[in-house]
Amino acid sequence: MKIVFFLIGIIGDVQPSIILANELNKRGHKILVVCEEKAKYLTEHYKLENNILKCHIKKQKQKQENNNKKLISTISGKNQIEINVDNNNNNNNNNHQRLNQFYLSSIGYDLIICNYNCITEALCIRDKSGIPFIPLIGTPILKTALFPHIHFSDHNLSIPALNKLTYNREYLNHSKNEIERVDKWRKEFLQLDGLKDNFFEKILFDPNVNIINTFDQLILPGGIGIPNDYLDKWNVVGFISNQEPRTIDSNSEKLLNFLNIETISNGCIIVDTNSKYQDKKDLPIIFEFHYNDNDTENDDNHTDDTDLENTIENNNNNNNNNNNNNNNNNNDNNNIISILKYTIEKLGINQKWIILNSGNENKFGMENVININNFKNDYQWIYKYCSLSISYGGNINSISGVLKSSLPSIITSLSFDQSTWAKRIESLGIGIGLQSTTLKKDDLLNSILSIKENYEKIKNRCTDISNQLSNDSIEKSITLIENQKSFSQQYQQRHHQQKQQEQQLKQYLQKQRKIRI
């Protein structure tokens, strides 16, 4: 098959798809990955053909109408407003060029596989060209009566009908934002009718769209596995993670030297799962800050995590602590660093620390701490040499990594779906959930000490959970994709026939009008 991948987002958003693309490529399928510059190194690592999106779009930090109000009330003169409008016009032009690049890249391919951020592009291209698509979704956002949409609340509303209503609301908001983003391009370039108000929900329930959920059923809220009201086509395959040796880069070399590890072969890190380093509570603690690409701030006009956080705040005033906007996140980040420094000092020089992506390598001037920024390489291998993971819990890859590595975890959630994962690891008995917005000076220290005091019990529980995770997620996904081949051919034939009939009808109606005239 000829398969094109549409990928947008941070590394955690695109990595599972690229790992799957690599496996499909090795099995003889022709693969093209359409992605942003920041994911280019992953495609090059796996030697995958890529088409890098050329137009960069500056993310608007607030909605345009709010920006205009502020400018009008604070700045005298029209020039500033005109500049702001010009910037938005540039963004719109760049957005349309990017959308065109997706469409042109898909010509001649049998199937589109897209991550969550590109579902709308895939739908529009299917409507135009008849190429079917498979979404890869990394978080549980499919409608169920058992728990609410995780972007809406981390509290079960207890009433099934209310839980379902949260999905309706989130789907409608997402549809509205996406229509605003693609409507002009869809109508003017693709020559299609506009999308319907709640098109996103219709995609999820469309019998012609099989969905691959790249998370394990163990992390679903409620702890009862796959909900009985999930559709059969909503395939929960498990976490998709790297199964190949990790390539050494300069940051990896720093870590290997810090850990005194020499498990390297042919330029790759070979993790010894029976290593003497395993199961020791005095091994280094790894603290992962959220990785941001410096040159791509908030990368595009998609409805991403930031949009969703703002939507959550507007929709759910009773859950403000779990849904802070980005303006507050910087203050929370500084607070975390202050508490982290205090915790490091209290635990003493014998406790080693690995700090990733804190934003400033000079923040921790201690010899028992290695602080590395711009760490993009897959670092799941590091977990094998750590005693404990601490993170915001915002990256599903880091969650899957600690689960697969049987590593106790502390999640200091900031916003979005992070508090859901914090509660889930607590309920599984494999870690502790904290909230960054209410974190006190000794909370992180006490949580670490609590895990160390019960380390053997928690570690054993982590091992039990790890053994329950699906270990055939890639095989399941490839089977679903390869079974799509005959459907893809039939679907494109039907689409072509339908377009021919529409064209014939159009020509007939034009002739009838001429006859009447």
Side-chain angles (χ1 to χ4, degrees):
M1 291 178 71
K2 293 184 288 185
I3 304 170
V4 58
F5 280 76
F6 291 174
L7 305 178
I8 288 289
I10 62 173
I11 299 304
D13 295 325
V14 304
Q15 191 168 32
S17 300
I18 289 181
I19 291 169
L20 185 57
N22 178 50
E23 291 297 322
L24 287 164
N25 185 57
K26 289 193 293 187
R27 299 183 190 207
H29 299 283
K30 176 176 172 55
I31 302 297
L32 172 65
V33 178
V34 183
C35 63
E36 295 175 300
E37 181 70 29
K38 61 186 172 184
K40 181 180 178 181
Y41 81 97
L42 281 172
T43 63
E44 291 177 341
H45 169 68
Y46 290 112
K47 297 180 173 59
L48 297 171
E49 184 181 352
N50 63 49
N51 187 340
I52 304 303
L53 294 167
K54 295 178 175 60
C55 294
H56 172 65
I57 299 172
K58 285 287 184 180
K59 182 72 177 176
Q60 299 300 312
K61 293 186 177 180
Q62 296 180 349
K63 290 186 177 180
Q64 179 54 39
E65 56 268 24
N66 292 335
N67 281 341
N68 285 341
K69 286 178 185 177
K70 285 192 174 183
L71 282 167
I72 291 168
S73 62
T74 58
I75 302 174
S76 61
K78 295 182 180 179
N79 291 337
Q80 293 295 333
I81 298 176
E82 288 172 357
I83 290 170
N84 196 58
V85 171
D86 286 342
N87 287 337
N88 287 327
N89 288 335
N90 288 335
N91 261 355
N92 289 334
N93 291 335
N94 287 344
N95 181 42
H96 291 164
Q97 288 183 50
R98 283 163 66 98
L99 293 169
N100 288 344
Q101 196 170 345
F102 278 114
Y103 170 65
L104 295 172
S105 298
S106 70
I107 294 173
Y109 281 81
D110 303 314
L111 180 67
I112 298 169
I113 298 179
C114 58
N115 66 357
Y116 176 83
N117 293 330
C118 298
I119 290 176
T120 307
E121 283 86 339
L123 171 67
C124 292
I125 292 168
R126 186 194 73 174
D127 291 348
K128 177 66 177 178
S129 305
I131 306 172
F133 67 96
I134 297 177
L136 264 59
I137 299 179
T139 53
I141 52 92
L142 300 174
K143 185 185 287 188
T144 176
L146 295 183
F147 49 83
H149 195 297
I150 62 170
H151 300 160
F152 184 89
S153 175
D154 61 358
H155 296 287
N156 196 319
L157 303 183
S158 300
I159 301 173
L162 287 180
N163 282 336
K164 280 197 166 186
L165 279 175
T166 65
Y167 293 87
N168 296 344
R169 191 167 188 174
E170 293 300 320
Y171 294 161
L172 191 60
N173 285 333
H174 184 67
S175 295
K176 180 181 177 182
N177 290 331
E178 289 293 270
I179 288 170
E180 184 179 342
R181 183 173 66 85
V182 306
D183 195 56
K184 185 176 179 181
W185 169 74
R186 180 180 167 93
K187 291 176 179 176
E188 294 183 1
F189 184 83
L190 298 183
Q191 299 292 302
L192 297 170
D193 294 334
L195 293 167
K196 303 300 181 184
D197 288 345
N198 198 10
F199 78 89
F200 186 73
E201 181 169 6
K202 291 177 181 177
I203 293 174
L204 302 181
F205 285 87
D206 186 338
N208 293 317
V209 179
N210 281 313
I211 294 172
I212 297 177
N213 292 286
T214 58
F215 53 80
D216 199 279
Q217 60 178 297
L218 270 175
I219 70 162
L220 285 165
I224 58 173
I226 299 173
N228 56 14
D229 55 355
Y230 262 32
L231 301 183
D232 290 340
K233 72 187 197 72
W234 294 348
N235 305 281
V236 180
V237 299
F239 297 119
I240 293 179
S241 55
N242 189 15
Q243 298 179 339
E244 296 183 350
R246 279 67 174 168
T247 303
I248 294 294
D249 59 11
S250 59
N251 284 331
S252 300
E253 286 182 353
K254 291 178 186 177
L255 275 173
L256 290 168
N257 291 334
F258 180 74
L259 295 168
N260 294 320
I261 296 173
E262 297 180 355
T263 52
I264 302 176
S265 175
N266 296 325
C268 293
I269 303 165
I270 307 298
V271 177
D272 179 8
T273 54
N274 297 314
S275 168
K276 63 182 180 180
Y277 292 101
Q278 271 195 317
D279 302 335
K280 289 188 177 181
K281 63 183 178 182
D282 56 346
L283 283 174
I285 296 172
I286 182 170
F287 194 111
E288 306 164 46
F289 287 87
H290 177 72
Y291 174 73
N292 277 316
D293 292 277
N294 294 329
D295 60 342
T296 53
E297 296 177 0
N298 293 312
D299 16 285
D300 54 50
N301 270 354
H302 284 72
T303 305
D304 61 6
D305 294 4
T306 306
D307 291 326
L308 288 166
E309 285 170 31
N310 292 333
T311 300
I312 294 165
E313 282 195 28
N314 294 330
N315 291 343
N316 192 11
N317 293 326
N318 293 327
N319 198 25
N320 286 334
N321 286 337
N322 292 329
N323 302 293
N324 297 291
N325 59 31
N326 279 349
N327 292 332
N328 292 330
N329 283 354
N330 288 333
N331 294 332
D332 294 328
N333 196 59
N334 291 333
N335 183 46
I336 283 284
I337 289 175
S338 175
I339 292 173
L340 179 57
K341 286 181 176 179
Y342 169 79
T343 304
I344 291 172
E345 290 172 0
K346 283 292 183 181
L347 287 175
I349 194 71
N350 292 326
Q351 176 62 66
K352 286 190 172 184
W353 290 79
I354 299 169
I355 312 294
L356 299 182
N357 302 321
S358 67
N360 188 337
E361 292 192 8
N362 297 321
K363 281 180 180 174
F364 304 91
M366 310 170 199
E367 58 184 52
N368 60 319
V369 178
I370 183 170
N371 182 26
I372 300 178
N373 286 316
N374 299 318
F375 196 92
K376 299 185 291 185
N377 199 7
D378 177 16
Y379 49 79
Q380 188 172 313
W381 63 271
I382 307 172
Y383 295 143
K384 293 292 182 182
Y385 305 101
C386 294
S387 61
L388 174 65
S389 164
I390 305 173
S391 73
Y392 290 144
N395 184 343
I396 199 67
N397 274 356
S398 64
I399 300 296
S400 68
V402 296
L403 291 175
K404 283 178 175 276
S405 302
S406 306
L407 186 64
S409 177
I410 295 174
I411 292 181
T412 58
S413 61
L414 273 171
S415 58
F416 195 35
D417 53 348
Q418 298 167 1
S419 55
T420 299
W421 309 136
K423 289 186 174 184
R424 192 70 190 109
I425 65 154
E426 276 201 344
S427 65
L428 288 170
I430 58 175
I432 294 173
L434 300 173
Q435 196 169 315
S436 294
T437 53
T438 59
L439 200 64
K440 297 178 181 176
K441 190 175 182 181
D442 289 306
D443 287 349
L444 184 59
L445 175 63
N446 292 337
S447 297
I448 294 171
L449 293 175
S450 175
I451 288 178
K452 283 181 173 287
E453 288 170 5
N454 301 280
Y455 194 80
E456 185 175 353
K457 178 182 176 181
I458 296 172
K459 182 69 174 178
N460 289 338
R461 177 60 179 160
C462 288
T463 302
D464 291 341
I465 293 297
S466 179
N467 291 335
Q468 295 177 48
L469 296 174
S470 173
N471 57 11
D472 59 352
S473 57
I474 291 178
E475 287 300 322
K476 287 179 184 174
S477 300
I478 290 177
T479 299
L480 288 165
I481 292 166
E482 291 182 334
N483 288 343
Q484 190 85 0
K485 182 176 182 178
S486 60
F487 169 79
S488 174
Q489 293 170 344
Q490 293 170 10
Y491 189 90
Q492 290 188 67
Q493 288 173 358
R494 289 199 307 269
H495 178 83
H496 181 65
Q497 290 170 359
Q498 183 181 352
K499 289 295 182 184
Q500 281 184 328
Q501 291 169 0
E502 289 175 356
Q503 185 64 26
Q504 289 170 359
L505 178 60
K506 184 178 179 181
Q507 290 172 352
Y508 172 77
L509 292 173
Q510 287 174 346
K511 287 180 181 179
Q512 291 299 310
R513 288 193 193 99
K514 288 179 181 179
I515 292 170
R516 286 172 190 163
I517 293 170

